[in-house]
Amino acid sequence: MPRISSQLPITLCRPRLRRHVLNRIHSHPLNSPFSTFLTPQTTETLVPVGLNGSISLTIYHQPRPSALSPILIYLPRGPLPLSFPTPSLASFALSANATVVSLGYRLSSSAQYPTPIHDVATGYDWVVKHLVHGSAAHNGWQSPRTRLAPVAVCGELIGGGLAAMLALTECHANKHGGVRALVLGTPVVDWTAMYPIASSVAEDLTPPEHQGPAVSNSPKATHSKPRKKKPPPPDSWLTHASSPLLSASSLLQARDTLFAKPEHYHDPFASPLLFFRSASSDIPPSEATLFSHFLNSAPSAPPLSPAAVTTFLKPRRAHLRHPPLGSGLVLPRARVDVGRDSVLRDQGVELVEAMGRSWALYGGRGESAERGKGKGEGVENVEVREGEGKGLWGEEELVGVGRWVAETLGPTA
């Protein structure tokens, strides 16, 4: 009968063999039982933003060190009135097998735009200098990078808009540390598309491009064959304006608080969808100009509130080229998660369509002036995933995002 010993196996008592076994444990895949015992170490650092204070970076170091593992910059949701819990970033780092950097940008009534734009740019520069070009610290020891790690950017809601801004302007093809992947969750990418809605007259306030065809009473129109063109459905902003989790009024209130002037949210760095097209609304004139214009044009009509008036100030949108010609930018691989019942659904879908159009026409690059260079290729590099409800990320959803990043930027990608 074999003798049973309570001591450790002799292989684990030898230093060289013990290191070999531990290395095997670290190299197990994500679904390995060993992964449940791994916990990312967390460090915090303060990064000065010029002479304007500093920002906090929380770094979740990957527990399975690898020179090819990505560095993932995570931008929080921002100051919105939400009762939805924030998922753990530790499990996020495990699922992505990445070093996750939570960038604590400043945004409040006393730190309005463009402060968060400067904060995100400063945090990104720090990550590139110290984590991409530097050594990666893992569980108390140093691992020099023989190959530079790929960079991904991830964000939700307001953080999603800032993540899109960063990824669309720092996706340099020939620059070490250029953003290669982008993941967004229900992002705010167009503050100019938000218009006030009066609940009692929601039908009257439907934007012109979503209204049915006009009916004419002219004799020519009455004798002509009626056209059976089905009007497009109302946009998500109008349909889900009264959503209890995130309503249109709460976003409008946030816009008034976070921007000192309307000109600031007409900036593509605040509304990154404007890199691909013109704004959804003009910069509004003063209240006195609005009332004077509408009262003079329709003296018999009842007075309209500024909220109702600004609804109809929607110019015709024009497509813009991004990346710009000669910029050296290449659009990153992108995934945008939206909720079917979210007031922001259409913004995420439109961003994916705009990026897909850039891939189809220009190959997602800013190198050639020849239209159609993309020949329709590369559209598969962007995708939208529509889920049930409001589309906010919980623990399970964020783990799925991490796995997507690992698959997209892994060694075999």
Side-chain angles (χ1 to χ4, degrees):
M1 180 177 179
R3 183 167 56 93
I4 300 177
S5 174
S6 60
Q7 297 179 347
L8 291 174
I10 189 64
T11 55
L12 293 183
C13 298
R14 297 178 181 176
R16 293 181 61 186
L17 293 177
R18 180 174 59 188
R19 286 197 299 268
H20 171 73
V21 173
L22 291 178
N23 288 336
R24 291 289 300 274
I25 291 176
H26 281 301
S27 64
H28 268 261
L30 295 177
N31 58 359
S32 166
F34 291 108
S35 63
T36 59
F37 299 101
L38 301 176
T39 302
Q41 284 193 348
T42 305
T43 59
E44 293 190 10
T45 183
L46 289 178
V47 179
V49 184
L51 300 177
N52 186 25
S54 61
I55 56 174
S56 174
L57 303 183
T58 304
I59 306 172
Y60 297 81
H61 298 280
Q62 55 178 326
R64 295 177 296 272
S66 168
L68 298 179
S69 298
I71 294 174
L72 180 52
I73 300 175
Y74 174 82
L75 300 174
R77 294 169 177 168
L80 291 175
L82 290 173
S83 58
F84 200 78
T86 301
S88 167
L89 294 185
S91 58
F92 188 27
L94 283 174
S95 62
N97 191 24
T99 297
V100 174
V101 181
S102 179
L103 199 158
Y105 60 89
R106 297 166 294 173
L107 184 57
S108 64
S109 58
S110 58
Q112 297 174 306
Y113 277 86
T115 296
I117 298 174
H118 299 156
D119 289 352
V120 169
T122 301
Y124 169 75
D125 290 340
W126 188 94
V127 168
V128 171
K129 179 180 179 180
H130 293 86
L131 297 183
V132 175
H133 290 277
S135 296
H138 302 294
N139 294 336
W141 58 281
Q142 296 292 327
S143 170
R145 294 189 180 278
T146 56
R147 290 181 56 184
L148 296 181
V151 177
V153 184
C154 171
E156 193 175 12
L157 296 175
I158 293 178
L162 292 169
M165 174 275 298
L166 180 63
L168 294 174
T169 55
E170 293 292 346
C171 51
H172 299 278
N174 299 318
K175 177 181 177 182
H176 298 310
V179 178
R180 290 180 52 193
L182 170 66
V183 192
L184 306 177
T186 316
V188 182
V189 289
D190 187 8
W191 291 96
T192 73
M194 302 177 185
Y195 55 88
I197 299 174
S199 57
S200 58
V201 289
E203 182 66 25
D204 296 333
L205 297 184
T206 304
E209 62 266 32
H210 296 301
Q211 293 177 347
V215 178
S216 174
N217 293 323
S218 63
K220 183 178 180 180
T222 56
H223 293 289
S224 61
K225 187 177 180 180
R227 300 179 63 183
K228 297 181 179 180
K229 185 178 179 180
K230 185 178 180 180
D235 57 15
S236 62
W237 180 260
L238 185 65
T239 304
H240 306 295
S242 301
S243 171
L245 186 60
L246 185 62
S247 64
S249 60
S250 63
L251 284 167
L252 288 170
Q253 185 176 2
R255 188 177 70 178
D256 293 340
T257 302
L258 304 177
F259 292 91
K261 300 178 181 179
E263 292 91 332
H264 293 170
Y265 59 79
H266 281 73
D267 183 351
F269 284 83
S271 299
L273 192 51
L274 305 191
F275 284 121
F276 297 96
R277 63 158 171 78
S278 57
S280 300
S281 62
D282 291 324
I283 298 176
S286 64
E287 281 189 24
T289 303
L290 285 172
F291 278 107
S292 174
H293 171 76
F294 275 85
L295 291 177
N296 291 335
S297 61
S300 59
L304 295 177
S305 67
V309 171
T310 55
T311 302
F312 298 98
L313 298 179
K314 287 185 171 287
R316 184 180 180 87
R317 300 172 183 173
H319 294 311
L320 303 174
R321 174 172 178 168
H322 191 82
L325 181 63
S327 63
L329 301 178
V330 179
L331 292 182
R333 293 280 302 274
R335 163 182 161 178
V336 180
D337 295 352
V338 297
R340 188 171 290 113
D341 301 328
S342 172
V343 70
L344 296 168
R345 173 195 174 276
D346 290 355
Q347 291 196 22
V349 172
E350 187 179 359
L351 179 64
V352 170
E353 293 174 347
M355 295 182 70
R357 183 170 57 249
S358 178
W359 276 106
L361 295 179
Y362 308 108
R365 298 174 177 268
E367 296 178 354
S368 173
E370 181 183 355
R371 183 181 176 91
K373 180 187 176 183
K375 300 179 181 179
E377 300 177 357
V379 179
E380 68 278 1
N381 290 329
V382 291
E383 61 176 304
V384 60
R385 298 191 181 186
E386 187 176 60
E388 298 292 337
K390 311 305 176 188
L392 297 180
W393 286 337
E395 191 85 15
E396 182 178 353
E397 289 79 10
L398 200 56
V399 167
V401 170
R403 289 173 178 163
W404 183 89
V405 171
E407 294 171 0
T408 303
L409 298 182
T412 59

